[in-house]
């Protein structure tokens, strides 16, 4: 060991870590050295401290968030130790795949030419098989994980530290990511934390089994370390009951699109049965669940399901459904689950009685999953619908969930679960397998390009700063409107120029509708509340002046902004105005994940309406949904910050950006338009005012 | 009480930046769903537009929550600016006016935290932040949107703004931050741990 220690690149010595929010340390007295080039598997149950130990090995424990004792080696340069997280979506920071891979080199303040080279190499080394201009947020989990791998490789790490990188993936995606990781790890140190060990054992030199507090229970070559294995009881074999739910020749569409994903889906589910809905991610499992729950209509076919009160749903993220302050209140939160005695019995069955007074959000992942399930069972559902109920759970926690589901089946509840976990799918009485969508097999581009937009406008030739200036100058100009005649004439050039900024009249009307509605309201308000006689002719003319003025104030900006892309704006603010790089990059990273955030918001609202807690318009539901969205955001932020720091963001004050922010002839024209819009109302005032 | 040096108190960790931006973006998304709240007071505002001021405080929530959580200069104004930028980018009805509002609302809340040198996360500070934000927003709306409104009505609108700023931004924002702290989601932040302390013990 002593020679190995001398060559160690990663190591902790008598390490202790106590998060500032806890009294007890989560790691204590851990000593571990990993020599350069070694491949290590960290095994152990959830909660043993695998993730924390990985953070420590990565040199990313935050001294402001807890107390560190002992010694740990720190990286000599940013990105020396690459880190991959369980949920790849948290690692994403950019609007395109190639820009995401460029994040690390940008933090290291490389030149544009260097960044382009590095990104090409990293995307290819991580076997990313989508175009560089694709949005990483639209990709499947497996592809996202490879994008995250590329992001690490772009900084030429000496070591790769992986925190359950496969646990959220379907089997074929897990195979692909596994292969990509092993290939990328060639010649590097590798530390993988995973409670599912079989896939890694043939490829590692060393297995370390962690117990509570990060205590090392066993440490040796594979085969010498006995790994705990949990046996599941045989699934119940219910006597065939009455039909509870059925799909008949159902067809579903991709969300928000017209394309038919699948046709002629049939399924009949009887009381006490478990149906598994399987298929790789992106195959439409979630869409089919939404159709089954009545959240959207099928493209064709018929669906039978129990009444709303007796159809319960558990989302993939249990936290998305939580609304109460305590575990006990959570179980009876739904108006369809008011039986207190039954709730106590369910808590007991789920082993949560000792946590009855705790805040649901503070439970561990496995406990939260069980709580969400018993809260659903408290509705005494005839049909229980679950989205990936076992994803990420280790064998012991899986067994707890399975026991709850088995018991519900014995009571006659029919269950349908969307799942890619074979451990659960193998217990099902029926399986509905959605086939994979064939991936287009073609060469991909790995170049860094601006964010693509489906529809072109003339205004896109301008720098985003120019477009912002046009809107601001026109807004200032609008204060020159002193009569309704000036206002109406003032709007003429805006109408004439609008086609340059939007792809068509339809789009212009769509963007301007809220503006015009507000202007009309302002006209009414002014006619009513000005010092003139309310609703008199002169008051209405004053209102017309105000409406035209506010339209001139707002419309040019709204139209110009239709052609502004957030990423390009961030680049322009960095290169042209030299704004501080880190806050800017954090802001852009937040704004490019809006699509993801809106998806979370919809899931959170749906989980509430399906529990009968009220419509999406009720203030109570909006308040609790906002809290859940904030919790989701804050938890994601912790992971995102970790992933960003592993890519050298903490010290990236001098960061560069991967693309230029050109100013050209179009910007001269844009500037002239802006000045003209600024002066026009004042000129009119001189002429006719 | 842990001691921190001056730079540690103002230097932004990555998580501070990501949380400020994230709170702004999350509210930007939630605000899209809040339009429904206006229909609740619809009959009132149709006849008397200034009554909309009763809900004004809701729009300053990102600033007060980010300020209470991160407690560093710029957190409040940064979160509000992100929320406003998002609203503007998604085609909000006031265009650049939204960003001006975001700067003034965030700036008002920021001012309250700055007055305590970013050391206090109490209800009075949050309420002061809401009131200052409401005042600045009122000045801007009076100037840009309602210059022709008579002074009498404008003063009534100011009253609505101040009440709303104090209650819906200040008190509600503080309560929301405390509820967030109780979930454990604020554990990486000293402010979150302090607020959660009472509930956990």
């Amino acid at each position: 060991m002593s020679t190995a220690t001398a060559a160690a690149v990663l190591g902790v010595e008598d390490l202790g870590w106590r998060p500032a929010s806890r009294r007890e340390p989560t790691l204590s007295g851990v000593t571990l050295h990993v020599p350069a080039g070694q491949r290590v598997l960290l095994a152990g149950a959830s909660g043993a401290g695998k993730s924390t130990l990985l953070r420590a090995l990565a040199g990313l424990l935050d001294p402001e968030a807890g107390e560190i004792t002992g010694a740990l080696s720190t990286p000599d340069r940013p990105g020396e130790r690459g880190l991959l997280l369980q949920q790849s979506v948290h690692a994403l920071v950019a609007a395109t795949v190639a820009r995401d891979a460029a994040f690390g080199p940008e933090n290291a303040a490389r030149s544009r030419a260097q960044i382009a080279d590095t990104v090409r190499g990293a995307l290819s080394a991580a076997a990313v098989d989508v175009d560089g201009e694709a949005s990483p947020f639209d990709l499947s989990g497996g592809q996202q994980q490879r994008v995250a791998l590329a992001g690490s490789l772009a900084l030429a790490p000496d070591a790769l530290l992986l925190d359950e990188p496969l646990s959220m993936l379907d089997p074929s995606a897990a195979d692909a990511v596994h292969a990509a990781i092993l290939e990328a790890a060639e010649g590097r140190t590798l530390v993988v934390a995973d409670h599912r060990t079989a896939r890694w054992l043939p490829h590692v030199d060393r297995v370390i089994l962690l117990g509570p507090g990060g205590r090392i229970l066993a440490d040796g070559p594979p085969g010498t370390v006995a790994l705990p294995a949990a046996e599941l009881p045989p699934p119940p074999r219910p006597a065939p009951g009455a039909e509870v739910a059925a799909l008949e020749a159902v067809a579903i569409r991709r969300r928000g699109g017209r394309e038919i994903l699948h046709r002629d889906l049939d399924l009949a589910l009887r009381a006490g049965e478990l149906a598994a809905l399987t298929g790789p991610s992106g195959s439409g499992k979630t869409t089919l669940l939404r159709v089954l729950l009545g959240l959207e209509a099928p493209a064709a076919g018929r669906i039978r399901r129990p009444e709303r009160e007796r159809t319960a749903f558990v989302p993939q993220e249990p936290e998305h459904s939580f609304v109460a302050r305590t575990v006990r209140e959570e179980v009876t939160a739904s108006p369809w689950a008011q039986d207190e005695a039954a709730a106590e019995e369910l808590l007991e069955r789920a082993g949560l009685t000792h946590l009855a007074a705790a805040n649901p959000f503070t439970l561990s992942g496995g406990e939260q999953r069980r709580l969400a399930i018993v809260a659903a069972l408290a509705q005494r559902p005839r049909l229980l619908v679950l989205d990936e109920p076992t994803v990420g759970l280790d064998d012991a926690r899986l067994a707890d969930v399975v026991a709850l589901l088995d018991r519900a089946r014995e009571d006659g509840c029919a269950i349908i679960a969307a799942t890619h976990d074979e451990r659960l799918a193998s217990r099902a009485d029926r399986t509905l397998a959605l086939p994979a969508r064939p991936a287009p097999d073609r060469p991909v581009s790995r170049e860094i390009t601006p964010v693509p937009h489906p529809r072109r406008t003339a205004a896109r030739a301008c720098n985003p700063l120019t477009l912002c200036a046009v809107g601001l100058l026109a807004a200032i100009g609008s204060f020159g409107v002193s009569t309704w005649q000036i206002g109406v004439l003032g709007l003429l050039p805006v109408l004439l120029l609008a086609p340059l900024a939007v792809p068509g009249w339809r789009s212009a009307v769509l963007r301007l509708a809220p503006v015009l509605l507000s202007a009309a309201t302002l006209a009414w308000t002014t006619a009513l509340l000005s010092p003139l006689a309310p609703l008199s002719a002169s008051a209405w003319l004053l209102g017309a002046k105000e409406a035209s003025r506010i339209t001139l104030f707002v419309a040019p900006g709204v139209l110009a902004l239709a052609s502004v892309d957030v990423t390009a704006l961030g680049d322009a603010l960095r290169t042209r105005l030299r704004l501080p790089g880190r806050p800017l990059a954090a802001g852009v990273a937040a704004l490019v994940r809006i699509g993801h955030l809106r998806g979370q918001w919809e899931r959170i609202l749906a989980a509430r309406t399906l529990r009968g807690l009220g419509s999406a318009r009720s203030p109570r539901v909006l308040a609790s949904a906002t809290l859940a969205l904030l919790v989701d955001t804050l938890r994601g932020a912790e992971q995102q910050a970790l992933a960003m720091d592993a890519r050298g963001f903490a010290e990236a004050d001098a960061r560069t950006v991967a693309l230029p922010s050109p100013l050209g002839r179009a910007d001269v024209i844009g500037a002239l338009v802006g000045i003209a819009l600024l002066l026009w109302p004042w000129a009119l005032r001189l002429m006719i005012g | 009480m842990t001691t921190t040096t001056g730079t540690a108190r103002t230097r932004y960790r990555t998580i501070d930046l990501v949380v400020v931006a994230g709170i702004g973006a999350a509210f930007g998304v939630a605000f899209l769903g809040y339009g429904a709240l206006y229909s609740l007071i619809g009959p009132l505002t149709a006849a008397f537009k200034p009554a909309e001021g009763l809900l004004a405080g809701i729009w300053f929530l990102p600033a007060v929550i980010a300020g209470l959580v991160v407690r560093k200069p710029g957190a409040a104004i940064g979160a509000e600016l992100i929320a406003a930028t998002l609203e503007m980018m998604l085609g909000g009805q006031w265009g650049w006016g939204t960003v001006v509002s975001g700067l003034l609302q965030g700036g008002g809340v920021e001012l309250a935290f700055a007055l305590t040198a970013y050391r206090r996360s109490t209800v009075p500070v949050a309420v002061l932040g809401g009131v200052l934000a409401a005042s600045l927003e009122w000045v801007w709306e009076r100037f840009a949107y309602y210059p022709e409104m008579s002074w009498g009505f404008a003063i009534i609108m100011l009253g609505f703004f101040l009440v709303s700023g104090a209650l819906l931004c200040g008190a509600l924002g503080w309560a929301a931050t405390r509820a967030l702290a109780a979930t454990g989601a604020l554990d990486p932040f000293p402010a979150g741990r302090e607020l959660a302390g009472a509930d956990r013990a």
Side-chain angles (χ1 to χ4, degrees), chain A residues 62 524 545 549 626 645 650, chain B residues 11 13-14 34 46 144 148 193:
Chain A
D62 176 4
W524 158 252
K545 179 213 97 180
R549 179 185 65 81
T626 304
D645 279 343
Chain B
R11 161 94 193 167
R13 299 175 295 168
T14 300
Y34 284 4
E148 303 291 356
R193 296 194 292 268

Side-chain angles (χ1 to χ4, degrees), chain A residues 495 502 504-522 547 550-551 554-556 558-559, chain B residues 90-95:
Chain A
L495 280 176
V502 282
W505 283 109
R506 222 180 91 86
S507 150
V509 169
L510 226 63
R511 287 196 80 93
L512 288 179
V515 178
L516 296 175
L517 191 68
S518 299
T521 319
L522 188 65
I550 208 72
T551 308
V554 176
V558 168
L559 291 169
Chain B
L90 293 176
Q93 70 224 45
W94 300 121

Side-chain angles (χ1 to χ4, degrees), chain A residues 254-272:
Chain A
R254 185 174 294 290
R255 273 206 86 186
R258 320 196 115 258
E259 179 200 2
I260 299 279
L261 275 176
H262 301 283
R263 313 177 174 279
D264 295 326
L265 301 171
D266 289 296
L267 180 74
L269 194 58
R270 295 172 176 283

Side-chain angles (χ1 to χ4, degrees), chain B residues 128-183:
Chain B
L128 177 65
V131 166
L132 290 175
S135 314
L136 291 176
E137 176 66 16
W138 177 82
V139 172
W140 165 243
E141 292 202 8
R142 172 88 182 126
F143 168 72
Y145 303 138
Y146 303 114
E148 303 291 356
M149 189 184 278
S150 74
W151 271 104
F153 289 124
I155 298 292
I156 295 175
M157 188 167 91
L158 175 62
F160 285 145
F161 263 65
L162 292 178
V163 171
S164 183
L167 294 180
L168 291 185
C169 170
L172 183 65
W174 191 85
T177 310
R178 211 180 136 99
L180 274 180
T183 68

Side-chain angles (χ1 to χ4, degrees), chain A residues 51-72:
Chain A
S51 300
T52 316
L53 183 55
L54 269 188
R55 278 191 205 202
L57 289 172
L60 293 173
L61 283 184
D62 176 4
E64 278 187 54
E67 193 179 84
I68 304 172
T69 55
L72 69 176

Side-chain angles (χ1 to χ4, degrees), chain A residues 675-689:
Chain A
I675 293 169
L677 289 175
L678 167 71
L679 298 178
W680 176 239
W682 299 95
L684 285 171
R685 198 163 163 169
L686 283 179
M687 290 185 286
I688 61 173

Side-chain angles (χ1 to χ4, degrees), chain A residues 655-678:
Chain A
R655 77 191 302 277
T656 48
V657 292
L659 288 178
S661 183
L663 286 167
R665 208 184 315 160
D667 295 290
V668 177
I669 299 171
L672 291 174
V673 166
I675 293 169
L677 289 175
L678 167 71

